[in-house]
Amino acid sequence: MTSHSAEVAADFKDALQDLKQNSRPEISTLTIIAKENTEHAEAISRVLEDHIKTTRPEWKLPALYVLDSIVKNVGTPYTVYLGRNLYRTFIDAYFIMDSGTRKAMEGLLKTWKQPVPESMDARPVFQPEVTRDIETALIRFRTVAMQQQPRSTPIPTRPLPTPPPQNWAPPPQAPTYTPPPFSMPPATPLPAAPLPAASLPAPALQLAQLLAQFQAAPPPPFPVPSPQPFYQPFQQPFQQPFQQPLPPPLSTPQPPAQTLPLPPALGPYPTALPTFDPNWLQNAMKTMNTSTPQHTAVENGIQVSTESMKVARRDLIMSKLYGPATSQCGTCGRRFDTTPEGRDQKAKHLDRHFKVRTSLAENRAIHRSWYIGEKEWIDYHEIDEASPEFDSVGATVAVPNKTKDKYVPIPDVKDGGRKPCPICQEEFEDHYLPEEDEWVWMDAVNNNGRIYHATCWEEYSRGASDSVPGKRKNMDEGARPGKKRVF
Amino acid sequence: MMSIPGLNLTAAPPETLNLPQAIVTRTKVLAANTEYRFEVAFSRTLAIKLLFGTGTAEFFGTELAPNSTYTFQGTKGAIYTWEGCTLEITGEAQSEYTGEETQMMSYANAHLALEELREKSLHSRDHGPRVLIVGPENVGKTSLAKILTSYAVKSGRQPMVVNLDPRQGMLSAPGSLSAAAFSSILDIEDGWGSSPISGPSPVPVKMPLVYHYGLGNPEEGKLFRPLVTRMALAVTSRLEGDTESRQAGFIIDSPGAISQGKGGVYENIEHIISEFSVNILFVIGSERLYSDLTRIYSNSNYNADEPVAVVRLDKSGGCVDRDETYMKQFRQAQIRSYFFGHKGDNALGPNSQMADFDDLSIFRVIDGSNGHADFRPGDDDDVYGYGTTIYERVTPSSMIQNSLLAITTASANDKHETIRDSSVRGYIYVADVDDVKKKVRLLSPQPGHTPPNAMILGSFPEDVPGLVG
């Protein structure tokens, strides 16, 4: 960030601090500042994200409206910078909001999936990947909230109904049902956004209403900051026409009886698979949340059992496999988090691709290397090429082909400085390696922080494996083949 | 075609291209939860590209980068999409269709269940899940192993993968048993990826530990179980110091033959479970095997420190039988790629060298057909006793032409058990034998003297004629 950039960002920050209500003039001013300073978009975006993250809950929504206004009225590069962390920005705020504000946020999200109204550009405001991840998380949040309802609710059980149509709304009797507060926080937190305690008391009923409205209501009007607060007390949840009186009577085949034998060793039978749903509300939720009518298991207990493998956990799978890491490498498809660490990793990863391409272009003769020996393999540790320690231990993209060609960078004084090889007690010789632009010790390996001559180490390892390698010692200590060893 | 002066080596496959291939490019729209299944001959190429912005797609769990072209040769595979996508496909497939019924949901569930155990092991500093996959041939055991590995890598883990199926090598030649920790993505075009080479590799190389078994069937001979024991010791020792891999646990892929059983007894499966302290057993495709193993491991007589969870998974509708012809071609392609690399852009240059008969210490695996008493788990004296004859020393003759020799780390004077238990440095190929001059022409992965170490010659993999033209 240049100093000028920092200045602009600081101004923008000051203006944001004053934004304590949904005020159109203030939001317009902030949008204009952003528009006139697109060259500092990154700094401004960061300030805005920070503000949304740190400001008091009741001031978050106006700040989100600033974000909305900027991405819709200015567009790129803000959509890019703000899109990177949008998941965190949005979800973190969402979880500590009350239900009315959440609804407003859902309205915002909905407009972000569409093109800017009256714009020539047919693309959505944010890339579909960005909004999809947020939606996945919201759906999961609702699922989790729903599952927190105690299973013992003494409401008469009903058979699993045929999935009602998408726009099915809860029957009016619903308000008489008041779920007790949550007693059991989820044991496995959401992968990217743990539920803060504050959000737990949100009753499932409210969520259901929210969701029903969100699904059934026409898209809310374009929520560019309006003079009146968008926030409205939540009091007319059941305005939707009552389209389907009750779930149809028992007509669907019930879930197959669980007849497969379970190994007793597996512990308790998964309780997450009720044959009947405790109440209609869950069924209604389910048909809206998931595309399949199957049950969603409580997520803190994916049992290792045959039955558990058949449960459809689509949303959980999507959020685990595609949710948390949304920034993808264009060359190999690997995904990275959108956190600062994730960005560093990705930069390093892309750097490696570049280095590989460059040296492949040099077209040197290469060949298969020998496999490493047993002893060496046992001491070997994988290091992720994108992790910060990848270079510092002297690993290179190319595995040195000969023992004598191995090298390590000359260690710093603080890392112990110059020490002779512990095996032969001789000093290392300094070499300059032009391709690495670094001074190194040739014929050297780093094993657990100590530097040895590679040849000495190999000799030593071979000697060791000729006699009895490391793991054979285990046997001497009593663990014998064919007998159960304790890990 | 590449050639090496003086030897006329060729990296080209021996198959002839019969007809000029019409390159047809088409797009294929996949609905959510479906997969594009394809088979490509060894003499053909199929290029697949995921169009940008149309969704995500994965090849046995490894995600495709959008707008990158992946080319396949001699492959039977499937591109799965969780949420729908559009593929652009160029080239000719032997067969291709869209599969609607897949087992991806249950395989992903298996991953989620393992992830929970890994998460627990992170807190308890204990071992992560120790998985063995069993089932008959062609039910997708290796595919499941790849999916579980890819998903684990994607979740930031470094799982250890152990291949005990000699019929197809992992990061090595067929006939071997190998293990490696995976910290980087699997190579979509090249099976499990590549073992180390002397230059850069676009997908990071994996670091395998390799033992040579030398037979195709684990039920024959008496080498399999001692090697499983050896591998288990090495992996266990590695995991003692390797925290990341210990917490990620390991996944063992097994040969279909051990799932046949004799009257409900599965000696090799039980041996693997006991040696590796397996605690999760995925049984694919065979109800009978599942039922037998459930009985064995739920039996209160089963005396173990920790219970074994036996979980049945269904076979994917995409599994196809791979006949012996295909498997043979597949193995030859694996051996070719060991010496020459997988494709043009990282083609390797092996070294041709001459050696005297006296330079080679070749130990031929004595076939199981004349084997003595069966090895049983617990018969320690038999494994580590002395004087057992496992190999016979052979002098080079035209018999060994076109065969693959495993160079061990043992010396020629070592006991047979030591030779058997020593890991493999690499493979050399016998290109030619001159009985008169008593010289052999060898293909070695790298330049330098032919190592004086003991070399194992097995009946498996079979001869590879035409590797060197």
Side-chain angles (χ1 to χ4, degrees), chain B residues 124-444:
Chain B
S124 66
R125 315 205 143 271
D126 207 355
H127 277 265
R130 303 179 296 280
V131 176
L132 169 63
I133 302 172
V134 296
E137 301 286 358
N138 301 320
V139 294
K141 291 185 296 299
T142 305
S143 301
L144 174 63
K146 277 189 190 167
I147 290 167
L148 293 178
T149 306
S150 297
Y151 282 174
V153 169
K154 196 169 192 166
S155 308
R157 315 285 181 190
Q158 291 187 4
M160 181 73 72
V161 180
V162 182
N163 174 42
L164 298 181
D165 184 1
R167 291 194 353 125
Q168 42 188 352
M170 178 187 81
L171 304 169
S172 183
S176 66
L177 311 181
S178 56
F182 282 74
S183 70
S184 51
I185 63 165
L186 273 67
D187 192 332
I188 288 179
E189 297 168 327
D190 188 16
W192 288 95
S194 169
S195 67
I197 54 178
S198 67
S201 164
V203 174
V205 297
K206 319 293 188 262
M207 202 62 97
L209 172 67
V210 181
Y211 299 99
H212 196 67
Y213 174 59
L215 298 173
N217 185 349
E219 300 282 324
E220 77 183 286
K222 45 188 175 170
L223 280 174
F224 186 72
R225 266 170 259 176
L227 279 180
V228 166
T229 301
R230 186 69 182 190
M231 178 69 91
L233 283 167
V235 168
T236 310
S237 309
R238 160 82 177 254
L239 295 186
E240 267 168 33
D242 187 342
T243 320
E244 294 247 33
S245 290
R246 182 174 66 237
Q247 285 164 348
F250 52 72
I251 298 163
I252 308 175
D253 188 14
S254 74
I258 64 170
S259 293
Q260 302 246 316
K262 289 175 192 135
V265 178
Y266 304 88
E267 287 187 343
N268 277 325
I269 293 182
E270 290 177 47
H271 182 69
I272 296 169
I273 290 176
S274 143
E275 290 301 83
F276 281 90
S277 295
V278 166
N279 65 351
I280 295 175
L281 187 55
F282 285 127
V283 184
I284 315 186
S286 168
E287 219 158 327
R288 162 145 188 213
L289 180 64
Y290 171 69
S291 147
D292 283 348
L293 291 171
T294 307
R295 183 172 40 75
I296 294 169
Y297 288 101
S298 62
N299 194 329
S300 53
N301 293 333
Y302 174 68
N303 192 2
D305 316 312
E306 203 184 344
V308 179
V310 187
V311 178
R312 190 181 151 210
L313 293 170
D314 287 327
K315 165 184 168 179
S316 163
C319 290
V320 285
D321 282 356
R322 297 167 300 173
D323 56 21
E324 215 18 66
T325 319
Y326 171 83
M327 285 309 288
K328 195 169 170 182
Q329 283 183 306
F330 179 78
R331 288 192 286 267
Q332 304 206 337
Q334 274 196 334
I335 294 168
R336 183 170 293 113
S337 107
Y338 173 78
F339 289 104
F340 294 98
H342 180 63
K343 296 195 300 187
D345 60 351
N346 60 346
L348 306 178
N351 192 261
S352 153
Q353 47 194 235
M354 300 300 286
D356 292 332
F357 277 11
D358 294 344
D359 294 342
L360 303 180
S361 319
I362 303 174
F363 292 81
R364 197 175 71 82
V365 180
I366 298 173
D367 278 357
S369 48
N370 58 353
H372 311 288
D374 275 355
F375 170 81
R376 287 179 192 285
D379 285 358
D380 302 350
D381 298 342
D382 194 21
V383 195
Y384 294 103
Y386 296 98
T388 317
T389 309
I390 304 169
Y391 306 99
E392 62 178 342
R393 186 85 185 250
V394 293
T395 40
S397 70
S398 52
M399 291 290 285
I400 67 162
Q401 189 166 336
N402 295 340
S403 61
L404 199 65
L405 302 174
I407 307 170
T408 68
T409 46
S411 98
N413 301 322
D414 280 329
K415 295 188 188 66
H416 285 187
E417 289 84 359
T418 312
I419 295 172
R420 175 195 64 196
D421 287 349
S422 60
S423 70
V424 170
R425 293 184 68 192
Y427 291 88
I428 54 174
Y429 172 77
V430 183
D432 201 5
V433 180
D434 188 333
D435 281 324
V436 181
K437 291 183 182 163
K438 297 203 177 300
K439 283 200 180 288
V440 283
R441 200 170 53 145
L442 301 169
L443 187 65
S444 169

Side-chain angles (χ1 to χ4, degrees), chain B residues 54-74:
Chain B
T54 60
T56 56
E58 49 187 55
F59 183 72
F60 296 124
T62 303
E63 196 177 344
L64 272 65
N67 276 356
S68 286
T69 303
Y70 295 90
T71 54
F72 297 91
Q73 256 184 318

Side-chain angles (χ1 to χ4, degrees), chain A residues 299 306 309 311 313-314 322 328 335 352 359 366-369 371 374 380 382 471 481-482 485 487, chain B residues 33 58 63 82 109 116 127 183 196 198 200-201 211 230 237-238 275 277 312 337-338 349 380 425:
Chain A
E299 63 163 315
T306 302
M309 297 299 119
V311 179
R313 299 183 182 89
R314 195 190 154 74
Y322 290 92
Q328 199 179 9
R335 281 176 187 269
R352 182 189 173 279
S359 65
I366 51 175
H367 52 77
R368 176 86 50 203
S369 305
Y371 302 131
E374 198 178 54
Y380 184 80
E382 284 288 330
K471 73 218 104 30
R485 277 185 313 279
F487 269 86
Chain B
N33 304 317
E58 49 187 55
E63 196 177 344
W82 284 98
N109 274 330
E116 287 203 358
H127 277 265
S183 70
S198 67
S201 164
Y211 299 99
R230 186 69 182 190
S237 309
R238 160 82 177 254
E275 290 301 83
S277 295
R312 190 181 151 210
S337 107
Y338 173 78
D380 302 350
R425 293 184 68 192

Side-chain angles (χ1 to χ4, degrees), chain A residues 471-482:
Chain A
K471 73 218 104 30
R472 199 68 88 88
K473 284 180 208 139
N474 293 345
M475 273 190 280
D476 297 337
E477 284 159 18
R480 283 143 54 88

Side-chain angles (χ1 to χ4, degrees), chain B residues 35-97:
Chain B
E35 62 188 19
Y36 166 70
R37 295 176 182 152
F38 61 93
E39 294 182 33
V40 203
F42 284 90
S43 54
R44 295 278 186 265
T45 305
L46 191 72
I48 298 178
K49 182 159 90 176
L50 166 67
L51 294 182
F52 184 81
T54 60
T56 56
E58 49 187 55
F59 183 72
F60 296 124
T62 303
E63 196 177 344
L64 272 65
N67 276 356
S68 286
T69 303
Y70 295 90
T71 54
F72 297 91
Q73 256 184 318
T75 308
K76 297 173 192 282
I79 310 267
Y80 180 81
T81 178
W82 284 98
E83 46 185 0
C85 69
T86 306
L87 302 176
E88 184 186 283
I89 297 157
T90 310
E92 191 189 331
Q94 277 174 313
S95 102
E96 54 175 348
Y97 68 99

